[in-house]
């Protein structure tokens, strides 16, 4: 092989060899010489000889685990630079399930999905990651996988622009009334900076029924009913970023 890729799977390079045995002998030699390091079965990372560290980031590794794997939830917030904390867990969505594994202090956790819509394939970086809009909606939908409400609020506070048409497209695809409620409520709190249209909020509101839901039922001490969104919400949710309750 003329040049060595940062990450290798057998399927991607097998055509360079006469047969599987030749490939197996080659990869075994590369591991012995410490040219490559095994991440998991059938995934190997190129080592920088000057540092003995691998060249690849955790986001690149996550994008190579399967043919459909991509960075999601809090890990996607990290990729976009909107996470307040960096976790030792890498959340990876994939159409095909894989066993969770640990590599170099990071645990890669599989979150099976039925669709790879709204995923950015950044070929220049070798990374697949849920779009910013998809990431935010997913994090609102599953706040635990977002790293907690503080991480969601921190991200919304930092974002200066988000595509409202894409947000609505994703909400329509997920099709949860409760998610329209939570999304409308949260984005309204930060609309001075996001400048979303009245039409966006009206569309969210049109999917809200008469049923009252809790934003987070057991998370906050002081709550009140937001009549617009039929949602029982914290009285001062933004204070949570600064350690409030």
């Amino acid at each position: 092989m003329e040049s060595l890729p940062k990450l290798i799977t057998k399927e991607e390079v097998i055509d360079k060899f006469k047969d599987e045995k030749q490939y197996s002998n080659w990869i075994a030699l590369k591991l012995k010489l410490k040219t490559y390091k095994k991440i998991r079965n059938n995934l190997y990372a190129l080592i920088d000889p000057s540092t003995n560290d691998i060249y690849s980031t955790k986001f690149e590794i996550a994008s190579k685990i399967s043919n459909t794997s991509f960075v999601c939830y809090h890990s996607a917030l990290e990729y976009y630079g909107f996470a307040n904390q960096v976790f030792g867990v890498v959340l990876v969505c994939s159409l095909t399930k894989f066993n969770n594994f640990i590599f170099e202090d990071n645990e890669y956790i599989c979150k099976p999905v039925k669709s790879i819509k709204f995923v950015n394939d950044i070929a220049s970086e070798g990374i697949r990651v849920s779009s910013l809009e998809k990431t935010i909606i997913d994090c609102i939908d599953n706040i635990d996988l977002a790293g907690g409400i503080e991480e969601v609020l921190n991200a919304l506070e930092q974002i200066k622009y988000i595509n409202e048409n894409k947000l609505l497209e994703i909400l329509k695809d997920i099709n949860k009334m409760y998610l329209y409620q939570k999304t409308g409520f949260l984005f309204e709190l930060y609309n001075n900076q996001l400048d979303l249209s009245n039409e966006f909020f009206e569309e969210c509101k049109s999917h809200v029924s008469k049923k009252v839901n809790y934003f987070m039922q057991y998370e906050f001490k002081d709550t009140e009913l937001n009549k617009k969104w039929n949602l029982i919400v914290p009285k001062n949710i933004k204070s949570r970023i600064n350690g409030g309750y």
Side-chain angles (χ1 to χ4, degrees), residues 207-230:
H207 293 271
V208 176
S209 72
K210 294 181 179 179
K211 181 183 177 182
V212 175
N213 283 307
Y214 280 85
F215 178 78
M216 294 180 75
Q217 189 165 1
Y218 304 109
E219 188 74 17
F220 294 88
K221 293 179 180 179
D222 297 320
T223 59
E224 61 188 359
L225 173 63
N226 183 304
K227 293 182 179 179
K228 178 176 180 179
W229 298 108
N230 270 357

Side-chain angles (χ1 to χ4, degrees), residues 168 177 180-181 184 188 198-209 227-230:
L168 290 174
M177 182 272 289
Y180 278 104
Q181 282 178 296
E188 201 167 53
N198 290 333
E199 288 75 17
F200 170 81
F201 291 105
E202 286 303 315
E203 180 62 26
C204 287
K205 193 169 181 296
S206 71
H207 293 271
V208 176
S209 72
K227 293 182 179 179
K228 178 176 180 179
W229 298 108
N230 270 357

Side-chain angles (χ1 to χ4, degrees), residues 171-172 176-184 204 207 229:
L171 285 167
K172 182 179 179 181
K176 291 181 183 177
M177 182 272 289
Y178 180 35
L179 188 52
Y180 278 104
Q181 282 178 296
K182 291 201 294 183
T183 299
C204 287
H207 293 271
W229 298 108

Side-chain angles (χ1 to χ4, degrees), residues 167-199:
L167 289 172
L168 290 174
E169 189 178 353
I170 293 159
L171 285 167
K172 182 179 179 181
D173 186 67
I174 298 173
N175 194 28
K176 291 181 183 177
M177 182 272 289
Y178 180 35
L179 188 52
Y180 278 104
Q181 282 178 296
K182 291 201 294 183
T183 299
F185 166 69
L186 282 178
F187 274 101
E188 201 167 53
L189 292 177
Y190 290 92
N191 203 37
N192 283 342
Q193 69 198 50
L194 294 171
D195 197 27
L196 300 174
S197 68
N198 290 333
E199 288 75 17

Side-chain angles (χ1 to χ4, degrees), residues 107-173:
E107 184 176 10
Y108 294 78
I109 295 181
C110 180
K111 295 298 174 184
V113 290
K114 296 179 180 178
S115 168
I116 53 172
K117 293 181 185 176
F118 316 112
V119 173
N120 290 337
D121 191 341
I122 307 168
S124 61
E125 298 180 26
I127 290 171
R128 289 191 299 268
V129 58
S130 55
S131 70
L132 177 59
E133 290 79 12
K134 172 70 170 169
T135 299
I136 294 300
I137 295 297
D138 282 347
C139 286
I140 293 172
D141 191 26
N142 195 323
I143 290 172
D144 286 341
L145 293 180
I149 186 61
E150 295 87 352
E151 289 295 282
V152 176
L153 296 173
N154 178 75
L156 287 172
E157 193 164 82
Q158 292 185 74
I159 294 169
K160 302 306 178 188
Y161 170 78
I162 198 161
N163 188 311
E164 65 180 60
N165 292 325
K166 290 181 180 178
L167 289 172
L168 290 174
E169 189 178 353
I170 293 159
L171 285 167
K172 182 179 179 181
D173 186 67

